[in-house]
Amino acid sequence: MRKALVLALIVLAGILAGPVSVKAQSVADVVTPNFFNGILNQADASCAGKNFYSRDAFLQAVNSFPQFGTADDIRREVAAFFAHVTHETGHFCYIEEINGANGDYCDETNTQYPCNPDKDYYGRGPIQLSWNFNYGPAGQSIGFDGLNSPETVATDPVISFKTAVWYWVNFVQPVISQGFGATIRAINGALECNGGNPATVQARINYYTDYCNQLGVDPGPNLTC
């Protein structure tokens, strides 16, 4: 009888106190060494990014952007971010866009962030940051001269990851609740969505669903764009 009374009192105390608070997962909890290295280890030993990208550099970058990982489900957001990074860099193989220097990534009409004629603004880093109108504000936010020293994104791994996270929280995270397809559109929709490059879209989706499976989260609806 006494045991039953004690149990009843414990239950009542729990009800009065409300639900027990459970600490939310952090980005570091989700992006474990096994998860990160599982991507990196698929890059060939000769890849430039093999000794450039690291989990430590990523976590240092994320520390500057506390809003990263605050979408509906941190695991789903991490899966989406790394799906795009995997596709853009070939499992962290590439730091710079292949033949990027042969392209013209200067928008001369953008007077707020004018191009330095001696610099190129092709894709660099985990998200392959491109164009002067991205390098300029990214540099201002992060603390490097994006217009006059865009190559910093390919030489400093922490800044490199910061540019990726900067782009993510400003242009991708706001649409992530619409599904993974919306994140594709935010990153490269003009070239890939609406039938532009269905094979590339599917490749991104495949990475995303794989990472969702690894992290134990449902990919959700609206995967394609």
Side-chain angles (χ1 to χ4, degrees):
M1 187 71 173
R2 176 177 292 180
K3 184 177 181 180
L5 178 61
V6 170
L7 288 174
L9 290 173
I10 291 173
V11 171
L12 178 60
I15 293 173
L16 293 176
V20 177
S21 176
V22 178
K23 182 181 182 296
Q25 283 184 305
S26 69
V27 175
D29 291 332
V30 178
V31 185
T32 63
N34 284 342
F35 178 81
F36 189 95
N37 293 332
I39 301 172
L40 181 66
N41 289 342
Q42 295 185 60
D44 190 83
S46 62
C47 289
K50 189 75 172 181
N51 297 310
F52 181 78
Y53 299 112
S54 70
R55 175 176 178 266
D56 182 64
F58 166 70
L59 293 178
Q60 286 187 57
V62 167
N63 283 339
S64 297
F65 295 90
Q67 61 269 55
F68 181 88
T70 58
D72 179 52
D73 190 308
I74 185 173
R75 297 168 299 166
R76 190 177 291 120
E77 183 173 358
V78 164
F81 176 83
F82 280 97
H84 291 300
V85 167
T86 298
H87 177 76
E88 295 291 336
T89 65
H91 293 90
F92 289 124
C93 181
Y94 304 109
I95 303 173
E96 299 181 299
E97 179 183 353
I98 299 172
N99 298 321
N102 295 328
D104 180 12
Y105 289 95
C106 174
D107 179 3
E108 290 87 354
T109 66
N110 191 299
T111 56
Q112 184 177 5
Y113 300 105
C115 300
N116 181 325
D118 298 322
K119 299 296 180 177
D120 294 309
Y121 304 100
Y122 55 80
R124 297 180 178 91
I127 212 75
Q128 294 289 281
L129 189 76
S130 307
W131 296 97
N132 52 307
F133 52 73
N134 284 322
Y135 273 92
Q140 289 178 347
S141 174
I142 294 165
F144 77 100
D145 193 342
L147 292 177
N148 297 309
S149 298
E151 63 276 5
T152 305
V153 181
T155 59
D156 186 316
V158 175
I159 286 180
S160 195
F161 266 116
K162 281 184 177 182
T163 63
V165 180
W166 170 85
Y167 189 90
W168 184 267
V169 299
N170 281 283
F171 301 105
V172 185
Q173 193 183 59
V175 302
I176 198 171
S177 63
Q178 300 171 27
F180 183 71
T183 71
I184 301 175
R185 190 176 298 279
I187 289 177
N188 210 23
L191 296 177
E192 298 179 18
C193 295
N194 300 320
N197 193 334
T200 300
V201 169
Q202 189 58 51
R204 293 182 191 269
I205 293 171
N206 291 345
Y207 290 133
Y208 172 64
T209 55
D210 177 28
Y211 297 156
C212 282
N213 288 336
Q214 289 186 41
L215 298 174
V217 63
D218 187 280
N222 305 321
L223 298 184
T224 190
C225 64

